[in-house]
Amino acid sequence: MKHSGATPEQTLALTLTAALLFGIMNLFPLIAMNLQQTSREATLLGAALAMWDKEMHILSLLVMLTTLLIPALQIALEIYVTVLAMRGRISAHKLAAPILILQKIRPWSMIEVFMLGLLVSLVKLQDLAEIIIGPAFWSCAGLIVCSAIMSSMLTPRNLWLWAQRGSQHG
């Protein structure tokens, strides 16, 4: 298995970037629609709550879980294990549990699926209303790119190597 060449500092910078993009994605509108002199903005949480109000409880919970809660947990764990590994404050043995959790939750982070559904909806709605892409949309796109890069940088092998180096230098 080949070492990716990523440093813990690069990985931490990318993970912090992902955290910033995730924050923007959740604080700002994904889209705005103008239809017959009426304007409406949609946020990710707002979309999930609207589903809840329409009595789509399971779908609402699924959206909240896969686009809000699990990605937030994933980013927090990525920051945690990267910082610990690069500082050598934890043995490779103690990194096993958070790495295992990360590996188990990664498939449940479905921001990409949500984004694909949003794009399909935008294509279908473009003839009915004026669609304005919000900052959260672009943050979501950036987060998808960061996540793809992170999956190659933040590997168990790299974490073990960083933890060993950190212990030797600390």
Side-chain angles (χ1 to χ4, degrees), residues 89-111:
R89 292 194 177 169
I90 191 168
S91 68
H93 175 72
K94 289 183 181 175
L95 277 173
I99 290 172
L100 182 61
I101 293 168
L102 258 177
Q103 289 178 326
K104 296 288 184 189
I105 66 170
R106 273 185 178 152
W108 288 97
S109 180
M110 303 258 178
I111 293 173

Side-chain angles (χ1 to χ4, degrees), residues 23-161:
I24 292 169
M25 184 180 87
N26 285 290
L27 293 174
F28 292 94
L30 283 162
I31 61 168
M33 291 182 11
N34 294 326
L35 178 64
Q36 300 174 354
Q37 314 299 4
T38 304
S39 181
R40 298 206 64 177
E41 292 182 342
T43 62
L44 191 53
L45 181 59
L49 293 175
M51 288 179 211
W52 185 269
D53 290 343
K54 301 269 186 206
E55 298 191 16
M56 298 180 201
H57 300 128
I58 293 173
L59 186 58
S60 174
L61 292 173
L62 193 58
V63 167
M64 283 193 252
L65 184 68
T66 60
T67 62
L68 296 169
L69 299 176
I70 289 177
L73 177 61
Q74 179 180 340
I75 291 168
L77 275 172
E78 288 169 345
I79 292 169
Y80 174 74
V81 297
T82 302
V83 168
L84 289 179
M86 69 189 265
R87 294 198 175 163
R89 292 194 177 169
I90 191 168
S91 68
H93 175 72
K94 289 183 181 175
L95 277 173
I99 290 172
L100 182 61
I101 293 168
L102 258 177
Q103 289 178 326
K104 296 288 184 189
I105 66 170
R106 273 185 178 152
W108 288 97
S109 180
M110 303 258 178
I111 293 173
E112 301 88 351
V113 175
F114 177 80
M115 187 69 149
L116 183 60
L118 181 61
L119 287 171
V120 169
S121 299
L122 292 177
V123 168
K124 293 190 176 272
L125 290 173
Q126 74 181 359
D127 293 335
L128 301 174
E130 177 189 8
I131 306 293
I132 301 160
I133 304 297
F137 181 91
W138 300 113
S139 294
C140 185
L143 182 58
I144 290 168
V145 171
C146 281
S147 295
I149 297 169
M150 282 299 300
S151 67
S152 69
M153 293 172 78
L154 194 61
T155 63
R157 184 172 193 277
N158 281 349
L159 285 166
W160 301 139
L161 290 172

